[in-house]
Amino acid sequence: MPAAADKTRRRGRDRSPSASDDDIGITIGTPNGRSPTQKHAFDIEDPASYEAKGMIQKWNEFYSNKDFGNILLLIALYWLQGIPLGLAHGSIPFLLKEKLSFAKVGLFTLAGYPYSLKLFWSPFVDSWYDRKFGRRKSWIVPIQLVVALMFWWMGSHIDGLVRDPADNIYEIMYLFLAIVFLSATQDIAVDGWALTLLSKENLSYASTCQTVGINCGFFLSFTVFLALNSTEFSNKYLFATPREEGFLQLGSYMAFWAMIYVAVTLYLILWKVEEPEADEGAADYGIVGTYKTIWQICKLPHMRQFIIVLFFAKLGFIPNDTTTQLKLIERGLHREDMALAVLIDFPVQIFFGYYAARWSRGSSKLKPWRAAFILRLLCSVLSMATVHFFPQDGLTTWYFYVILLTKVAGSMASTVQFVGMSAFITQIADPVIGGTYMTLLNTLSNFGGTWPVFFIMRAVDYFSSATCVLSDMSKSYSCATTDDRKRCTGDGGTCDVHWDGYYIVSTSCVIIALSLFITFIRPTVHHLERLPAHVWRVSKEARQ
């Protein structure tokens, strides 16, 4: 017996892949590495391979998804919407601010209002269409062709207008007002198409497509364009010999995208067939019936609370979103530095755009939205500090990292809020009037971030107080605006700032927003997110 026991112990110690067929082994690695002579084995997979395999599996699942092509199409359509939005809300205000005051730049921001007022004509988009051509294609195709024509025409005219914005501010504003109006109308059709283009199990990807597409287009028109348009950036990184203009001008950029618009539109015309919707009841209601439906939706008790939340929820972030970067440019931040900051910030938006849709599920759908609300308010305060403590001797490396960190944190919170709210709206929208319902809620959300902009930018100039002190002390005048500061510098004086309206307006908005969040927004949103989907819909009898 002792000899047998000793033999057994030796066999356990000397176990190898060449042992008998009755061996039971433990294999560290992958299943493919198992010894063929072991009938039974416990496979412990290498932890280092977990993450890589998980990413590959997710990509394979996404690629094999039956809606893969439709997801790419939605991203492309939202991408095209982001191009004019990036110009209207990003690049153009920066180009204008170099020569105009905050109040005059605020006048241009009126061009972005159609995106926040599209509710008023969304019933026409939902009700008028050609059944043979497609309910959504009937609007998307002609709109994209018109935008392409406008972009092509502006390709040879816009640079001259922007060089002298003081005399052409109204013409610039009206041109972009028309483009944003067309893009907003396209968005109505695309939002409605997303509800039926994707299968029910993939409907949550609609908000992700919107986030990825619009952010990519916005990123190209804002960050990439401003960097390539910058003379300093182009001379430093692109030109062998210095030039007086940047690598890419606004006109050539718009002409390029005119051709892309045409290419995508041709694909829709020639190859994409729009399947008839299972329930096109909205068309039977007509224009008047659809407006009545909107009114019935707005009269729902919980919808009235939701409207108030959407109308005031973004008030505390507006000064930071619209004026902080302009103030940093005013203090000495170069456009290429700002473009680099947004370049680093862009993948963060895409990353959190993907995960925010997953976080916004379950019974507490808007919990990430509420957490991001506080983070955005904190970032607004930190942004004011970055403006106040901007180095007098110019931007340093460590201070650029401070600005970058603040911007990335703010953009992360903004993306989480945007995707979370979009996912919630998608889940409660009634597919019968999909385009109108989605547009109603998205319009209210967008309008909450648009209506204060004009007033806030004018208030910055209004509450600013500064005096130009000349060397000969012969006279003095106000230098609160950009034009007056340039005049003061040209006269050889210095601008003595008594009060900067930026801090007054920003602080007031943060305090008001925090008070509203504690007393009204947080408890209301917590209640609304727990309501079942059917309570957000109006019965067919009420729509008639």
Side-chain angles (χ1 to χ4, degrees):
M1 289 294 296
D6 183 63
K7 182 178 180 181
T8 302
R9 284 194 297 270
R10 285 199 309 272
R11 187 175 63 181
R13 287 194 303 267
D14 299 337
R15 186 177 304 277
S16 66
S18 61
S20 68
D21 290 343
D22 294 330
D23 284 350
I24 299 176
I26 297 178
T27 302
I28 306 297
T30 63
N32 293 331
R34 181 186 304 171
S35 171
T37 62
Q38 293 176 348
K39 294 179 61 177
H40 309 283
F42 299 98
D43 298 321
I44 303 177
E45 199 165 346
D46 186 359
S49 65
Y50 288 166
E51 185 175 352
K53 285 189 174 182
M55 294 177 63
I56 294 174
Q57 182 179 3
K58 287 181 179 179
W59 169 251
N60 289 336
E61 291 176 356
F62 179 68
Y63 182 76
S64 60
N65 193 305
K66 62 181 180 180
D67 287 332
F68 179 74
N70 291 333
I71 289 174
L72 292 183
L73 176 60
L74 281 177
I75 291 176
L77 294 176
Y78 281 120
W79 192 315
L80 293 182
Q81 291 179 36
I83 296 300
L85 292 182
L87 293 174
H89 294 284
S91 295
I92 302 299
F94 271 95
L95 297 177
L96 297 179
K97 186 62 184 68
E98 294 178 351
K99 300 179 180 179
L100 300 177
S101 64
F102 277 103
K104 291 183 179 179
V105 174
L107 178 63
F108 174 79
T109 62
L110 294 176
Y113 271 47
Y115 234 85
S116 302
L117 300 173
K118 56 188 177 182
L119 171 66
F120 292 106
W121 62 91
S122 64
F124 292 91
V125 180
D126 249 7
S127 301
W128 289 356
Y129 58 92
D130 186 329
R131 290 180 180 271
K132 293 182 179 180
F133 191 61
R135 182 174 184 175
R136 311 304 177 183
K137 285 174 57 178
S138 296
W139 287 91
I140 296 174
V141 167
I143 284 174
Q144 290 189 166
L145 289 177
V146 174
V147 173
L149 288 174
M150 292 191 66
F151 267 43
W152 187 260
W153 180 86
M154 292 174 69
S156 57
H157 295 81
I158 191 65
D159 288 324
L161 297 176
V162 173
R163 288 193 190 98
D164 190 15
D167 295 334
N168 301 310
I169 185 62
Y170 284 99
E171 185 174 354
I172 297 172
M173 189 266 288
Y174 289 140
L175 285 171
F176 278 95
L177 181 69
I179 291 175
V180 173
F181 171 79
L182 292 170
S183 296
T185 307
Q186 179 195 11
D187 186 62
I188 299 170
V190 175
D191 282 346
W193 201 4
L195 294 177
T196 56
L197 192 62
L198 301 179
S199 57
K200 187 175 182 180
E201 61 269 23
N202 291 320
L203 197 58
S204 61
Y205 282 113
S207 60
T208 303
C209 293
Q210 186 180 39
T211 302
V212 172
I214 291 181
N215 278 338
C216 286
F218 198 97
F219 169 74
L220 287 177
S221 288
F222 186 18
T223 307
V224 175
F225 169 74
L226 276 186
L228 297 180
N229 181 257
S230 170
T231 304
E232 294 81 3
F233 180 89
S234 300
N235 286 333
K236 185 176 182 180
Y237 297 105
L238 301 177
F239 296 146
T241 56
R243 302 182 185 180
E244 295 182 357
E245 291 185 339
F247 176 80
L248 182 63
Q249 299 304 305
L250 181 58
S252 56
Y253 179 79
M254 298 185 74
F256 168 79
W257 279 105
M259 295 185 290
I260 301 299
Y261 267 92
V262 171
V264 175
T265 307
L266 288 176
Y267 168 78
L268 292 176
I269 295 173
L270 300 176
W271 288 288
K272 183 60 180 178
V273 177
E274 183 178 353
E275 299 294 335
E277 297 182 11
D279 188 350
E280 294 188 347
D284 298 331
Y285 302 136
I287 301 296
V288 176
T290 305
Y291 278 114
K292 287 182 178 180
T293 301
I294 292 175
W295 180 242
Q296 292 297 327
I297 294 172
C298 293
K299 287 171 61 178
L300 295 172
H302 45 274
M303 182 59 73
R304 291 201 296 265
Q305 294 178 320
F306 193 37
I307 289 172
I308 296 174
V309 169
L310 295 177
F311 197 75
F312 292 104
K314 298 180 181 179
L315 181 61
F317 322 132
I318 300 299
N320 183 36
D321 294 343
T322 59
T323 60
T324 294
Q325 294 186 81
L326 297 177
K327 293 295 292 186
L328 288 172
I329 293 290
E330 189 178 279
R331 290 298 181 95
L333 182 69
H334 297 295
R335 277 194 286 163
E336 57 270 21
D337 295 327
M338 184 206 63
L340 178 60
V342 180
L343 177 64
I344 298 173
D345 173 53
F346 177 68
V348 175
Q349 296 186 36
I350 300 299
F351 176 82
F352 281 96
Y354 170 75
Y355 280 100
R358 301 180 61 183
W359 297 336
S360 303
R361 295 176 180 176
S363 58
S364 298
K365 302 178 183 66
L366 293 175
K367 184 177 180 179
W369 184 90
R370 295 194 298 271
F373 189 102
I374 298 299
L375 180 57
R376 287 187 75 181
L377 287 182
L378 177 61
C379 289
S380 297
V381 175
L382 294 177
S383 296
M384 282 189 281
T386 60
V387 175
H388 180 74
F389 293 106
F390 196 92
Q392 296 291 332
D393 298 331
L395 183 67
T396 60
T397 302
W398 75 268
Y399 204 80
F400 173 75
Y401 291 145
V402 172
I403 295 174
L404 177 62
L405 180 62
T406 304
K407 178 167 182 56
V408 168
S411 296
M412 176 192 71
S414 176
T415 301
V416 170
Q417 280 203 304
F418 176 79
V419 176
M421 185 59 70
S422 297
F424 178 70
I425 289 173
T426 302
Q427 293 171 25
I428 67 175
D430 188 349
V432 174
I433 49 169
T436 298
Y437 207 119
M438 289 278 288
T439 300
L440 166 64
L441 298 179
N442 283 325
T443 294
L444 295 173
S445 179
N446 291 335
F447 191 66
T450 303
W451 71 265
V453 174
F454 174 76
F455 304 100
I456 284 175
M457 297 195 76
R458 292 190 68 88
V460 170
D461 278 349
Y462 179 81
F463 288 106
S464 295
S465 176
T467 302
C468 180
V469 180
L470 300 176
S471 56
D472 57 4
M473 303 297 292
S474 58
K475 59 180 179 178
S476 61
Y477 51 84
S478 173
C479 57
T481 66
T482 303
D483 293 340
D484 290 334
R485 279 193 292 273
K486 290 182 178 180
R487 175 190 169 194
C488 180
T489 304
D491 291 342
T494 58
C495 190
D496 184 15
V497 179
H498 310 299
W499 295 98
D500 193 331
Y502 164 74
Y503 301 111
I504 298 174
V505 174
S506 298
T507 303
S508 300
C509 288
V510 168
I511 293 174
I512 294 172
L514 183 60
S515 301
L516 286 174
F517 180 78
I518 295 173
T519 60
F520 175 73
I521 294 177
R522 182 175 61 180
T524 301
V525 168
H526 184 70
H527 166 68
L528 295 178
E529 69 183 354
R530 296 179 180 272
L531 294 174
H534 68 84
V535 303
W536 295 94
R537 299 174 184 178
V538 180
S539 64
K540 187 173 182 179
E541 292 75 16
R543 291 197 291 261
Q544 294 176 345

